[in-house]
Amino acid sequence: MTNAHDAGARPGRALLLLPVQAVLVAALGLLVTGPLAHHWPLSAEDDVNRALADRRAPSATSLTDWLSLVADTQTVIGLTLLCVLGLLLVPRAPRWWEAGFLAVSVAAQSAVFLLVTLVVNRDRPDVPHLDGAPPTSSFPSGHVGASAALYGGLAVLAARHLRGAWRNLVVGLLLLVPLAVAFSRLYRGMHHPSDVVAGLLNGACTLLVVGAALLPDARKGEAEPEPAAPGTRRAVVVRHPHACDDGTAARVRTALRRHGYPEQRWTDTTPEDPSGGLAPHLTGADADPAGPAEPVGPVDLVVVCGGDGTVRACADLVAGTGIPLAIVPCGTGNLLARNLGLPVEPVAALREALSGRAVGLDVGRIRGDGLAPTRFAVMAGAGFDAAMVRDASPRLKERLGWAAYVLSAARHLRDPRMRLSLRLDGGAPLERRARMVVIGNVGSLQGGLPLLPEARPDSGRLEVVLLDPRGVTGWLAAAGYLASRAPGRSRASGTRERTAAHGALEYFGATRVDLRFSRPQPRELDGDVLPAGTRLTAEVEPGALRVCLPAPTRIGAQGRTGGEVAEHGHRDARTAAR
């Protein structure tokens, strides 16, 4: 998700160079087939084709047959579609601009190729052809141009995300493919040397033009920062070292400097300390007295580079301090960032948040048997959802993102129901059976699925849902009901209790929620697994956390702007207090 300015600027002026590219390639073709045809090196092209034809061997013929296959029209279209779908479905968040870059590059190269063949008419080399000659001109090579656009585009994306030896290996192998295809087209007698050179130029120029239009983030992040004025602000950055790679971290540093935060303290999370030792930084104390002296002083901003678990751990410490929190979504789910309307691209989310305003949002405070009191910003739950989070494979989460939870959920569809007692705001206990109970500060899951349609992080209360489907029809009814709740649709607010999906879903709202289970149940907090237990108590802390949000932005079920969020958040907090 991006703001309107970015969306309008990305595919702008650079794409206007594609017609210019087509004209230049066509002009080159007319020169190659006209005035320059009898001048060296073009005059020696036929000798190259004949020499290769005379030296053909069965093994080389088989190899070049395969190389031509990986660059023919059907293969390029099929691989492009698969790669685009992979970019949209496999990562933690859909990579819309990268998918668009790849698809547009391949399509634009093909369009330029077809336009040029209408202008330039060149016969195939006068040697035996190992492939059927298509009706298009020999100039430029379509196979070579398509392979340069597809495999060169994949090399660009690999260079953006891989690091170290793997980056060099993968990028190098991908860039070798168009060169190998170029050789195969010469060997098989399908093109002159100048045809394959023009195909490489066509594909490479297309990548440059489309990349300039659709991949500006890396350049923005790596651009030389503007000098910061003396006495500017100080930020503490908490980084999950696995979720936030070195390239993203470098771009975060640059973005902070550009927004007036030249003084930055970076600290990494660990399994033992998911907040990365943030507490000493908030007090202005030196977190490492034995280390080199660093400037200390008031913290003006806390930046969290990680997923919901890292954000929760930091929010627990920052809530109530008045220090603004900026979220750089780098995790598997990033539910808080999605519910707050932040872009899914990490550095874009930071830039937009720093260009907006700090808004007071609610957090939940939870405790239970075996749990120290702590805060959460997204959801707490017990039963089916906690078991799903607990048993999701870390390796699959790394490879598939949130889709790994779907696979884990399938294993628990037949888990037994749990008995529980629910007390709202100190009222009489409600006895229920359910497969899952979720207490939410925000309401939407991945894909905008509204598990808690009335949840809003500025409402001054928490929302609760009990999931208790009976059999296959119950699961289908619950899934159909949730899928039919269009994100952003206006809904009645203030309803304390209601059922839906033929009783499979039951909703409540309160400022304090007490849960008691008849036997220990798995529990989770913002995607982090908690020890199993029999009790959970959650209370809302209205407006306790200041979060930097884009302006204007839309969050929660009601889709309010940033200013409306702040205004209504204070009003709801006063109402809750009364």
Side-chain angles (χ1 to χ4, degrees):
M1 184 184 299
T2 59
N3 62 14
H5 179 270
D6 282 349
R10 287 178 188 264
R13 298 179 182 177
L15 292 182
L16 297 178
L17 294 175
L18 289 173
V20 177
Q21 176 184 328
V23 170
L24 292 176
V25 176
L28 178 62
L30 293 175
L31 290 173
V32 167
T33 57
L36 302 180
H38 302 292
H39 293 78
W40 193 90
L42 297 178
S43 60
E45 287 193 305
D46 291 340
D47 295 335
V48 174
N49 289 113
R50 283 191 290 268
L52 289 173
D54 292 341
R55 290 168 174 78
R56 288 172 180 167
S59 58
T61 299
S62 299
L63 176 61
T64 57
D65 183 42
W66 182 83
L67 288 172
S68 288
L69 180 63
V70 301
D72 70 7
T73 302
Q74 292 81 2
T75 303
V76 168
I77 292 175
L79 286 178
T80 301
L81 290 176
L82 285 176
C83 292
V84 168
L85 289 175
L87 288 167
L88 297 180
L89 300 178
V90 173
R92 294 183 294 269
R95 293 175 176 152
W96 295 101
W97 292 111
E98 293 186 352
F101 159 73
L102 195 62
V104 173
S105 294
V106 173
Q109 177 280 142
S110 299
V112 172
F113 161 74
L114 291 174
L115 289 173
V116 172
T117 59
L118 296 176
V119 177
V120 180
N121 185 17
R122 191 182 198 187
D123 294 332
R124 303 282 168 175
D126 187 18
V127 296
H129 302 155
L130 297 183
D131 295 327
T136 54
S137 168
S138 179
F139 183 98
S141 171
H143 280 67
V144 174
S147 65
L150 173 58
Y151 300 104
L154 292 174
V156 170
L157 299 183
R160 288 166 61 90
H161 295 289
L162 299 180
R163 295 293 178 268
W166 275 108
R167 175 182 182 177
N168 297 332
L169 177 61
V170 173
V171 171
L173 290 175
L174 287 170
L175 292 179
L176 282 176
V177 175
L179 297 176
V181 170
F183 172 78
S184 75
R185 302 307 285 167
L186 294 176
Y187 177 90
R188 301 180 72 80
M190 304 308 299
H191 290 287
H192 306 275
S194 57
D195 300 336
V196 299
V197 171
L200 289 171
L201 288 175
N202 183 31
C205 289
T206 302
L207 289 177
L208 289 174
V209 171
V210 178
L214 301 185
L215 298 176
D217 285 335
R219 298 196 314 275
K220 287 184 179 180
E222 294 167 3
E224 187 66 26
E226 297 173 357
T232 46
R233 296 163 291 179
R234 175 172 172 255
V236 174
V237 185
V238 178
R239 174 197 178 199
H240 190 297
H242 300 297
C244 177
D245 58 33
D246 292 341
T248 300
R251 295 163 60 204
V252 167
R253 286 188 178 92
T254 301
L256 286 171
R257 292 191 189 102
R258 293 180 65 87
H259 284 83
Y261 293 93
E263 293 186 20
Q264 302 171 25
R265 276 196 168 188
W266 285 68
T267 177
D268 285 354
T269 66
T270 63
E272 297 76 22
D273 188 356
S275 70
L278 176 62
H281 295 283
L282 299 179
T283 62
D286 193 335
D288 185 10
E294 297 185 31
V296 297
V299 175
D300 299 293
L301 178 70
V302 172
V303 180
V304 184
C305 304
D308 289 317
T310 306
V311 173
R312 186 208 64 77
C314 295
D316 183 34
L317 298 173
V318 175
T321 66
I323 300 172
L325 182 76
I327 301 171
V328 180
C330 299
T332 302
N334 302 316
L335 289 182
L336 182 59
R338 293 171 187 268
N339 278 271
L340 296 180
L342 290 168
V344 295
E345 202 284 320
V347 181
L350 177 62
R351 286 199 303 266
E352 291 199 15
L354 295 180
S355 299
R357 58 178 296 184
V359 176
L361 301 180
D362 307 337
V363 292
R365 187 171 182 84
I366 198 163
R367 63 182 185 273
D369 53 320
L371 302 178
T374 187
R375 295 180 174 94
F376 67 95
V378 182
M379 299 175 185
F384 171 78
D385 71 315
M388 172 189 68
V389 171
R390 179 194 63 197
D391 295 337
S393 166
R395 179 175 298 180
L396 287 180
K397 285 196 294 182
E398 183 177 348
R399 294 182 178 180
L400 302 180
W402 61 266
Y405 292 119
V406 178
L407 299 177
S408 176
R411 300 165 52 190
H412 294 283
L413 291 177
R414 299 178 63 86
D415 284 359
R417 300 158 69 203
M418 56 184 177
R419 289 185 177 182
L420 62 93
S421 173
L422 171 69
R423 188 188 296 267
L424 305 171
D425 292 333
L430 305 174
E431 303 298 328
R432 294 290 190 272
R433 285 178 176 265
R435 296 185 183 277
M436 175 181 84
V437 57
V438 172
I439 306 169
N441 187 43
V442 297
S444 293
L445 303 178
Q446 282 84 1
L449 189 69
L451 180 63
L452 292 159
E454 294 182 23
R456 206 177 61 242
D458 65 334
S459 65
R461 71 175 191 173
L462 300 170
E463 302 296 329
V464 184
V465 62
L466 300 180
L467 175 68
D468 189 28
R470 310 290 177 87
V472 175
T473 56
W475 282 105
L476 292 176
Y481 176 81
L482 294 176
S484 67
R485 303 298 95 183
R489 179 183 298 173
S490 177
R491 300 177 178 87
S493 91
T495 304
R496 301 241 344 145
E497 302 177 18
R498 64 184 179 90
T499 59
H502 307 293
L505 295 163
E506 189 171 11
Y507 293 97
F508 308 89
T511 59
R512 175 183 169 123
V513 180
D514 291 284
L515 291 168
R516 298 291 184 272
F517 308 106
S518 61
R519 59 182 180 180
Q521 296 294 333
R523 299 176 291 184
E524 62 91 10
L525 196 65
D526 284 4
D528 285 341
V529 179
L530 301 177
T534 60
R535 298 194 307 275
L536 280 178
T537 296
E539 297 178 86
V540 69
E541 295 185 5
L545 182 66
R546 296 183 66 209
V547 178
C548 296
L549 297 180
T553 189
R554 293 181 176 273
I555 67 172
Q558 304 303 318
R560 293 172 175 161
T561 65
E564 290 170 330
V565 167
E567 177 184 350
H568 286 267
H570 295 314
R571 184 183 304 165
D572 289 341
R574 291 193 295 270
T575 302
R578 290 198 295 268

